[in-house]
């Protein structure tokens, strides 16, 4: 029985150790690993292999060399005659068994009649261009844990929203309190944002060139949502992506049908407000759009309230669960690379899908609530949580690491406490140790410990799984054509 | 020693294609060498039952459900009864399957091993390891090739690929390239052939202002590099005024090509012929000077050999097995990039204009390099090796002392053992779950075999009479042009 099933061992992996060196797995292991090791040792890749395995990507020699190289018989191999030399040298230095090669013997060509049998396997050149895990990056533990805070934050904010809904639904929390505190926090966030913007503006900056059409309109449409402005002066693409998600919020919130961001109304172009300073005009437009959202929601709330009256509650719970799952799985957790503007266009779609899913979930949840005020509060709160808070979180993550940690802990504590309060029945007078916040404290404790364990455990697990990564590339892969311009651009 | 050989594949005439013509040419040459060859394929529309082709080549068209692009639906066991009947009727000793996407071939290899026959598999294509379809195909290939006697690949790149995909011992994989019938791809004027009536040979020496015609014969699919072609043609035509294009072939990317032509108003300089039949390819090729082959993946690339045989200078992308196929003086290689393809074509045009390339010699050189007779000889050596005619040391090339030691891959005398327990051992190593599943399949297959032996005993099956053979005493002087075009459609 062959114990492992790694694809690089031949089916005779257990027995080849006694065979001649020309058998399958030993050939493979001399090519990919140390010479005398048994093949089963090296079937799994450790992350440190990335240091040795990182060979440069396969670069075929240019056609210049090929045209000049009229005498084909001088070539040692049909392809990559020039790149083979350093690789072979590296093989020699690693294996120390390069002397088996007969001089000028076998050629990797089909048109030459050779004196070797057809099944001859040249140990030097066989699988020479094989690349294993060419783009492997070994993970480290603490950066991985730090990166997982993004996911924790998002999951926590979703849970907090659900807790608030349950609280409102069971009449345990006043909807005005929820939306009041939420709006207060949003306002604080916006103040912070504005302050950060001021810090960024203090060094003199230029407006983005007019060729970059997307930053002005995306930022203004995001500003139209409500409080936090998008920084117009720093054209890093990270803002493009959340601004797009924010703009889709706007369209879903203000219009019944989701529309593309271009259709968002009242786009105040940045150039119209020349007399005022730029930031003042931004603040004004933010306030204007916040008011607009506010009144639109106020008008829509009675309609939303009766939206799903004919649907049973069970369907609503199932549906909102599904939608929140979509929200969590399709949320744009990534930190975009600072230079690629093309990628952000692709990232808009999942982000907007996730945001729309969350808003739809909150809409159907809100439609379960009995009074217009509750519906209005919950919908406004959902816009704050799912539309604006992710934008703020992402920006805050870039600004300060300490703030990120503080925000994460705050969210985890809040989530734990909230869930504990919802599930538990503290303060009902049972037992000696009973006090009103008992279940809340229990929730905080369990939440903090559980989250910490999950973050650490998942990171550790992912690092452990990385040694199973076995990606094989070689000349048989279909080439990726590099085309300078797409033909539509002609 | 003559063998009775069955070539099994889903792909055969009347469907056109490279594998189809490979099977036909190989079987014809094997018959010429004294073997008995039959071909088993599935029924095509209008082709059912048993057919005889030229030279007594017998083709069995087995009725099977065709699923996708001439591939039959993979029902692991349903092929066994009729397969067993054919094998016994024709007294087959070696089953030789072709093409890794053909489920008929895989099933035939499995059943043949159950029946105790020698099996050979020829791989014609390259597969990656990343996408889901490839993973599935590779697992299936691993299943079949766990118990096969020998594998033939068409290029060294293909061999590496197959060895990795099916976890094979590299020594049981031979590289035998495709070939071309050089007489079917002769240049317009050549000393060895009579000049065709009415044809005007192209001027041998091109001046700086003569028109150079670039020919592209390819199915217009993504993996044939049509995107590169679409991007490169306007730039090539813009920088070289006396250049024309002839594009033959059809496919989903033809629309892109036509849009490019209309956008750049190049209709008078690019001629699109649409689909051409295989026997017309030569007539298209001889109209040009340069053959451009922008493919993104290619196991062998028979078409560039055909183009070189027609006396065309070949510009091709350096992918897959292409760099092994032709010598450097016949080809200009480019990276699969638009800029590099344009540059390589420009260099090829310049080299032709400067008369640096002796294209008139290409035909004779290609004829020396590739011939089906040679392919048949080398395939015959594989048959010798797996039947034990060649000693193991001769065939696998190592000392007999090592051969004495037991190996899961090879049994005694250089051939794989047919014992069920040995076969199960080979299949079991395919994977944690897959190994057990494969073992189950093999056991069911074996039980089916026992049932069939009881149900339809061997004695009750008629033995087919062999095609009367003209004893050709003189050895083959070379390839004679096969009358393939009489039935190819």
């Amino acid at each position: 029985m062959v114990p492992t099933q790694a694809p690089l061992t031949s089916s005779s992996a257990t027995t080849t150790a006694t065979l001649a060196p020309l058998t399958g797995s030993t050939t493979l292991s001399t090519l990919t690993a140390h010479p005398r090791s048994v093949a089963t040792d090296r079937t799994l890749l450790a992350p440190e292999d990335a240091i040795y395995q990182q060979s440069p990507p396969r670069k075929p020699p240019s056609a210049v060399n090929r045209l000049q190289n009229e005498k084909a018989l001088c070539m040692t191999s049909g392809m990559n005659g020039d790149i083979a030399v350093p690789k072979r040298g590296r093989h020699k230095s690693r294996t120390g068994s390069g002397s088996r090669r007969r001089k000028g013997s076998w050629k990797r060509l089909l048109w030459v009649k050779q004196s070797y049998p057809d099944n001859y396997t040249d140990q030097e050149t066989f699988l020479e261009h094989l690349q294993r895990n060419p783009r492997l990056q070994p993970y480290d533990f603490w950066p991985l844990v730090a990166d997982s805070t993004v996911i924790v934050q998002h999951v926590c904010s979703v849970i907090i929203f659900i807790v608030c809904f349950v609280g409102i639904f069971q009449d345990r929390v006043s909807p005005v309190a929820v939306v009041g505190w939420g709006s207060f926090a949003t306002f604080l966030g916006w103040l912070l944002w504005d302050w950060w913007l001021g810090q960024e503006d203090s060094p003199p900056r230029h407006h983005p060139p007019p060729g970059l059409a997307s930053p002005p309109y995306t930022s203004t449409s995001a500003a139209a949502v409500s409080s936090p402005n998008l920084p117009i002066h720093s054209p890093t693409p990270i803002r493009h992506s959340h601004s797009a998600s924010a703009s889709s919020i706007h369209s879903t919130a203000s219009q019944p049908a989701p529309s593309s961001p271009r259709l968002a109304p009242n786009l105040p172009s940045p150039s119209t407000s020349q007399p005022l300073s730029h930031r003042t005009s931004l603040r004004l437009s933010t306030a204007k759009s916040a008011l607009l959202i506010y009144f639109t929601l106020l008008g829509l709330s009675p309609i939303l309230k009766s939206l799903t009256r004919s649907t049973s509650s069970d369907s609503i719970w199932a549906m909102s669960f599904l939608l929140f799952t979509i929200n969590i799985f399709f949320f744009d957790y990534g930190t975009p690379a600072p230079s690629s503007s093309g990628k952000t266009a692709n990232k808009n779609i999942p982000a907007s899908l996730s945001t729309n899913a969350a808003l739809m979930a909150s809409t159907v949840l809100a439609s379960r609530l009995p009074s217009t005020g509750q519906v209005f509060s919950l919908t406004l709160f959902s816009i704050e949580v799912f539309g604006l808070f992710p934008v703020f979180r992402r920006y805050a993550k870039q600004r300060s690491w300490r703030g990120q940690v503080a925000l994460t802990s705050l969210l985890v504590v809040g989530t734990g406490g909230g869930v504990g309060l919802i599930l538990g029945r503290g303060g009902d007078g049972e037992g000696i140790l009973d006090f009103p916040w008992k279940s809340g404290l229990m929730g905080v404790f369990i939440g903090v410990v559980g989250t910490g364990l999950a973050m650490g455990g998942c990171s550790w697990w992912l690092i452990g799984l990385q040694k199973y990564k076995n990606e094989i590339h070689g000349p048989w892969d279909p080439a990726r054509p590099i085309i300078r311009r797409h033909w539509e651009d002609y | 020693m003559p063998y009775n050989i069955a070539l099994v594949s889903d792909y055969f005439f009347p469907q056109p294609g490279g594998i189809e013509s490979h099977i036909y040419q190989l079987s014809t040459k094997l018959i010429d060498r004294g073997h008995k060859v039959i071909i088993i394929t599935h029924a095509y529309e209008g082709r059912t039952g048993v057919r005889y082709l030229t030279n007594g080549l017998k083709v069995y068209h087995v009725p099977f459900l065709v699923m996708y692009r001439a591939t039959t639906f993979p029902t692991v066991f349903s092929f066994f009864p009729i397969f067993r009947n054919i094998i016994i009727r024709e007294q087959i000793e070696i089953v030789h399957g072709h093409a890794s996407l053909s489920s008929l071939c895989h099933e035939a290899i499995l059943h043949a091993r159950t029946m105790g026959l020698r099996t050979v598999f020829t791989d014609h294509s390259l597969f990656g390891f990343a996408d889901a379809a490839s993973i599935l195909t590779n697992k299936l290939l691993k299943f079949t090739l766990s118990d096969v006697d020998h594998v033939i690949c068409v290029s060294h790149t293909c061999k590496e690929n197959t060895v990795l995909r099916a976890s094979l011992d590299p020594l049981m994989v031979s590289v035998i390239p495709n070939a071309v019938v050089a007489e079917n791809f002769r240049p317009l004027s050549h000393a060895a052939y009579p000049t065709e009536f009415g044809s005007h040979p192209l001027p041998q020496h091109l001046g700086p202002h003569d028109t150079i015609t670039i020919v592209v014969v390819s199915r217009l699919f993504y993996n044939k590099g049509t995107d590169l072609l679409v991007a490169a043609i306007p730039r090539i035509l813009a920088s070289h005024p006396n250049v024309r294009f002839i594009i033959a072939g059809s496919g989903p990317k033809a629309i892109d090509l036509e849009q490019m032509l209309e956008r750049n108003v190049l209709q008078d300089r690019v001629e699109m012929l649409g689909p051409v039949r295989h026997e017309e390819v030569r007539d298209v090729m001889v109209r040009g000077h340069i053959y451009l082959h922008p493919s993104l993946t290619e196991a062998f690339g028979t078409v560039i050999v055909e183009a070189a045989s027609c006396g065309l200078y070949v510009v091709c992308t350096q992918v897959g097995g292409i760099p092994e196929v032709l010598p450097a003086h016949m080809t200009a290689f480019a990276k699969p990039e638009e800029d590099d393809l344009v540059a390589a074509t420009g260099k090829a045009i310049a080299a032709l204009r400067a008369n640096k390339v002796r294209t008139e010699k290409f035909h004779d050189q290609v004829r020396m390099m590739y011939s089906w007779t040679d392919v048949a000889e080398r395939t015959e050596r594989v048959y010798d090796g797996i039947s034990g005619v060649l000693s193991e040391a001769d065939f696998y090339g190592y000392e007999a002392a090592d051969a004495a030691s037991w190996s899961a891959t090879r049994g005694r005398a250089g051939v794989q053992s047919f014992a069920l327990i040995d076969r199960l051992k080979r299949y079991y190593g395919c994977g944690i779950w897959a190994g057990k599943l494969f073992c189950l399949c093999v056991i069911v297959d074996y039980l089916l075999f026992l049932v069939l032996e009881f149900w339809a005993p061997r004695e009750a099956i008629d033995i087919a009479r062999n095609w009367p053979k003209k004893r050709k005493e003189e050895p083959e002087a070379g390839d004679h042009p096969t009358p393939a075009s009489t039935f190819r459609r």
Side-chain angles (χ1 to χ4, degrees):
Chain A
M1 163 181 171
V2 180
T4 56
Q5 53 128 6
L8 270 180
T9 49
S10 77
S11 51
S12 62
T14 46
T15 55
T16 40
T18 58
L19 273 182
L22 267 178
T23 50
S25 48
T26 20
T27 309
L28 290 170
S29 61
T30 45
L31 285 167
T32 54
H34 304 291
R36 290 297 170 202
S37 65
V38 187
T40 45
D41 291 346
R42 300 293 303 169
T43 50
L44 300 180
L45 200 70
E48 53 265 25
D49 279 1
I51 306 160
Y52 303 110
Q53 298 287 347
Q54 261 176 1
S55 51
R58 193 169 72 93
K59 283 184 199 156
S62 67
V64 190
N65 302 340
R66 198 43 52 102
L67 261 183
Q68 289 165 350
N69 201 353
E70 288 281 319
K71 292 178 185 170
L73 276 168
C74 318
M75 297 194 313
T76 50
S77 67
M79 59 194 315
N80 302 6
D82 45 353
I83 202 168
V85 179
K87 268 194 94 169
R88 192 166 297 153
R90 198 195 62 186
H91 271 295
K92 260 182 200 169
S93 61
R94 278 177 58 211
T95 61
S97 65
S99 59
R100 203 174 289 131
R101 179 180 171 79
R102 278 169 278 190
K103 201 63 183 162
S105 49
W106 183 83
K107 296 175 202 67
R108 197 193 149 105
L109 294 174
L110 296 172
W111 54 275
V112 190
K113 298 271 190 297
Q114 308 196 42
S115 55
Y116 288 82
D118 288 328
N119 57 352
Y120 175 75
T121 305
D122 192 60
Q123 294 213 25
E124 284 292 324
T125 55
F126 189 68
L127 289 177
E128 187 181 36
H129 300 287
L130 175 77
Q131 290 181 328
R132 296 176 71 194
N133 299 339
R135 289 181 292 276
L136 180 79
Q137 290 175 335
Y139 297 133
D140 289 330
F141 183 74
W142 288 112
L144 212 56
V145 173
D147 284 341
S148 67
T149 54
V150 185
I151 304 174
V152 170
Q153 282 180 358
H154 186 69
V155 174
C156 284
S157 59
V158 170
I159 295 176
I160 285 177
F161 177 80
I162 296 170
V163 163
C164 288
F165 168 75
V166 174
I168 294 175
F169 191 70
Q170 296 177 343
D171 284 333
R172 295 168 71 165
V173 187
S174 149
V176 181
V178 168
V179 78
W181 284 108
S183 303
F184 179 65
T186 311
F187 185 69
L188 280 186
W190 177 67
L191 284 185
L192 196 60
W193 183 291
D194 203 56
W195 181 61
W196 279 337
L197 269 188
Q199 273 188 335
E200 271 192 7
D201 270 356
S202 50
R205 291 227 177 184
H206 296 288
H207 286 268
L212 287 172
S214 48
Y217 96 76
T218 46
S219 62
T220 45
S221 65
V225 176
S226 78
S227 13
N229 279 319
L230 281 171
I232 211 167
H233 293 286
S234 47
T236 51
I238 174 167
R239 271 129 229 163
H240 298 208
S241 62
H242 28 103
S243 64
S245 62
S247 62
S248 68
I249 303 159
H250 176 230
S251 47
T252 41
S254 59
Q255 299 165 356
S259 59
S260 84
R262 283 169 207 280
L263 295 178
N266 70 344
L267 294 178
S269 112
S271 56
T272 53
S273 51
Q274 284 304 325
L276 297 169
S277 91
H278 187 72
R279 289 183 53 207
T280 318
S281 74
L282 270 182
R283 280 174 197 154
L284 277 181
S285 69
T286 305
K288 193 174 79 178
S289 49
L291 279 179
L292 190 83
I293 294 274
Y294 181 86
F295 286 114
T296 312
L297 269 186
L298 210 54
L300 279 178
S301 297
I303 305 173
L304 288 182
K305 190 184 71 169
S306 57
L307 185 67
T308 59
R309 184 168 290 162
S310 58
T311 316
S312 78
S313 287
D314 289 345
S315 325
I316 296 295
W317 308 146
M319 186 172 161
S320 54
F321 175 77
L322 197 70
L323 287 166
F324 278 126
T325 315
I326 290 175
N327 170 263
I328 287 173
F329 276 98
F330 287 86
F331 186 72
D332 188 12
Y333 296 104
T335 312
S339 66
S340 61
S341 60
K343 273 187 177 175
T344 55
N346 299 333
K347 286 196 169 175
N348 284 345
I349 299 163
S352 69
L353 172 71
S354 130
T355 316
N356 282 322
L359 284 179
M360 179 154 179
S362 58
T363 308
V364 295
L365 282 185
S367 66
R368 286 290 102 180
L369 294 174
S371 83
T372 311
Q374 288 174 333
V375 172
F376 168 75
S377 308
L378 195 74
T379 318
L380 191 60
F381 187 59
S382 80
I383 289 179
E384 285 162 359
V385 169
F386 297 116
L388 308 173
F389 192 43
V391 183
F392 173 77
R393 281 202 318 254
R394 197 185 297 235
Y395 193 56
K397 186 191 168 200
Q398 286 193 328
R399 289 296 301 208
S400 80
W401 164 242
R402 211 168 283 172
Q404 171 87 355
V405 174
L407 189 62
T408 311
S409 346
L410 195 68
L411 280 170
V412 169
V413 168
T415 309
V419 172
L421 281 178
I422 288 295
L423 292 182
R425 287 187 293 274
D428 51 0
E430 285 178 24
I432 307 162
L433 290 174
D434 186 55
F435 53 99
W437 294 89
K438 184 185 121 187
S439 59
L441 280 181
M442 277 298 290
V444 168
F445 179 73
I446 293 173
V448 167
V449 171
T451 313
L453 283 182
M455 284 165 77
C458 287
S459 307
W460 177 76
W461 189 37
L462 186 60
I463 290 173
L465 284 181
Q466 210 185 10
K467 69 167 181 272
Y468 295 104
K469 190 176 169 66
N470 191 7
E471 204 184 340
I472 300 175
H473 288 281
W476 48 82
D477 286 325
R480 296 238 171 90
I482 300 176
I483 295 170
R484 224 151 45 108
R485 316 175 273 189
H486 202 249
W487 54 270
E488 281 170 349
D489 305 338
Y490 278 66
Chain B
M1 167 177 181
Y3 301 106
N4 295 342
I5 305 156
L7 301 185
V8 189
S9 177
D10 268 326
Y11 312 111
F12 195 65
F13 299 129
Q15 178 180 293
I19 297 171
E20 289 83 350
S21 102
H22 178 107
I23 294 172
Y24 173 72
Q25 299 288 352
L26 177 65
S27 50
T28 314
K29 294 302 167 198
L30 283 174
I31 288 175
D32 285 351
R33 297 185 64 81
H35 303 288
K36 172 186 172 180
V37 181
I38 65 162
I39 290 173
I40 304 176
T41 181
H42 67 83
Y44 285 88
E45 197 175 339
R47 297 285 165 111
T48 50
V50 184
R51 292 224 169 194
Y52 280 99
L53 302 186
T54 319
N55 215 357
L57 175 62
K58 200 175 192 177
V59 184
Y60 282 87
H61 289 279
V62 182
F64 260 106
L65 177 68
V66 174
M67 188 173 59
Y68 172 70
R69 285 178 76 171
T71 307
T72 47
F73 189 75
T75 60
V76 182
F77 306 113
S78 66
F79 182 42
F80 201 4
I82 195 164
F83 177 75
R84 172 175 171 271
N85 198 303
I86 294 172
I87 294 298
I88 292 173
R89 176 183 295 272
E90 300 286 346
Q91 295 170 299
I92 295 299
E93 296 152 344
I94 294 173
V95 172
H96 187 164
H98 284 265
S100 52
L101 276 181
S102 157
S103 52
L104 202 65
C105 147
H106 291 303
E107 292 174 24
I109 288 177
L110 172 70
H111 303 324
R113 289 298 300 182
T114 306
M115 294 179 65
L117 306 176
R118 299 288 163 201
T119 49
V120 182
F121 172 76
T122 298
D123 202 353
H124 293 262
S125 45
L126 300 176
F127 278 88
F129 295 92
D131 55 311
S134 298
I135 291 170
L136 197 67
T137 320
N138 293 347
K139 208 68 183 175
L140 204 70
L141 190 79
K142 204 172 181 175
F143 173 37
T144 318
L145 298 195
S146 295
D147 192 26
V148 75
D149 288 293
H150 209 82
V151 177
I152 296 173
C153 291
V154 292
S155 65
H156 294 109
T157 306
C158 186
K159 171 174 173 174
E160 293 178 349
N161 188 230
T162 309
V163 163
L164 285 181
R165 282 162 63 202
S167 306
L168 293 170
D169 182 349
L171 281 179
M172 58 179 286
V173 183
S174 289
V175 175
I176 299 177
N178 278 332
V180 293
V181 183
E183 287 73 14
N184 289 349
F185 291 93
R186 54 179 189 267
L188 261 191
S189 61
H190 194 267
Y193 310 105
T195 313
E196 290 161 50
F197 178 73
S199 67
H200 302 285
L202 294 170
Q204 285 298 329
H205 297 290
L206 290 155
H209 297 296
D210 288 334
T211 300
I212 286 187
T213 308
I214 300 178
V215 180
V216 180
V217 180
S218 145
R219 287 179 295 120
L220 301 176
F221 279 88
Y222 168 78
N223 61 354
K224 295 289 176 187
T226 314
D227 293 330
L228 277 177
L229 193 67
V230 168
I233 284 179
R235 296 182 56 193
I236 294 170
L237 288 180
S239 48
H240 303 282
N242 290 322
V243 167
R244 300 284 180 273
F245 269 90
I246 296 177
I247 300 173
S250 61
K253 289 278 181 183
I255 299 232
D256 288 359
L257 211 54
E258 277 159 13
Q259 280 187 345
M260 179 273 295
L261 294 188
E262 283 176 16
R263 200 178 293 264
N264 297 288
V265 200
L266 293 172
Q267 286 91 343
D268 55 336
R269 299 181 66 188
V270 180
E271 188 182 347
M272 290 199 51
L273 298 178
V276 292
R277 303 201 308 239
H278 188 239
E279 61 266 26
E280 293 171 346
V281 165
R282 181 253 170 192
D283 299 333
V284 175
M285 280 182 174
V286 294
R287 289 168 64 188
H289 306 84
I290 291 176
Y291 181 77
L292 182 61
H293 191 66
S295 183
L296 301 182
T297 174
E298 200 76 69
F300 180 78
T302 317
V303 68
I304 66 172
V305 183
E306 292 170 350
S309 171
C310 287
L312 271 70
Y313 192 48
V314 176
V315 179
C316 55
T317 46
Q318 199 170 29
V319 296
I322 285 183
E324 307 164 19
V325 169
L326 282 179
H329 69 272
M330 292 185 185
T331 47
F333 287 113
K335 281 179 273 188
E337 298 167 13
E338 176 193 346
D339 294 342
D340 209 43
L341 196 66
V342 171
T345 316
K347 283 187 180 20
I349 291 170
L352 274 185
R353 289 206 197 282
N355 288 317
K356 281 184 191 159
V357 186
R358 308 290 306 274
T359 52
E360 66 274 7
K361 290 185 177 171
F362 282 4
H363 178 70
D364 293 327
Q365 290 166 349
V366 169
R367 211 162 83 165
M368 297 301 293
M369 291 172 200
Y370 295 107
S371 84
W372 285 109
T373 315
D374 177 49
V375 171
E377 273 173 29
R378 291 159 80 171
T379 311
E380 197 181 72
R381 182 177 174 275
V382 170
Y383 296 155
D384 285 342
I386 59 173
S387 339
V389 174
L390 280 179
S391 74
E392 190 175 7
D394 278 349
F395 190 48
Y396 292 107
Y398 57 83
E399 291 74 31
D402 287 325
S405 62
W406 185 85
S407 146
T409 315
R410 289 183 296 277
R412 277 164 299 152
V415 289
Q416 288 194 298
S417 159
F418 291 112
L420 184 63
I421 190 68
D422 285 344
R423 295 182 61 213
L424 288 181
K425 275 181 204 162
R426 289 179 214 120
Y427 287 113
Y428 195 77
C430 281
I432 300 173
W433 297 104
K436 298 178 176 67
L437 183 71
F438 293 165
C439 283
L440 206 64
C441 283
V442 173
I443 291 169
V444 171
D445 205 55
Y446 188 73
L447 291 178
L448 199 62
F449 174 64
L450 294 183
V451 169
L452 284 173
E453 287 286 313
F454 177 74
W455 195 265
R458 274 168 193 269
E459 300 77 40
I461 296 174
D462 293 337
I463 305 297
R465 292 181 59 190
N466 287 342
W467 184 263
K469 212 170 275 181
K470 272 187 293 189
R471 289 312 311 170
K472 267 201 310 185
E473 291 309 320
E474 91 281 15
E476 289 80 21
D479 285 17
H480 37 81
T482 48
S485 52
T486 54
F487 68 93
R488 267 189 219 171
R489 281 193 300 114

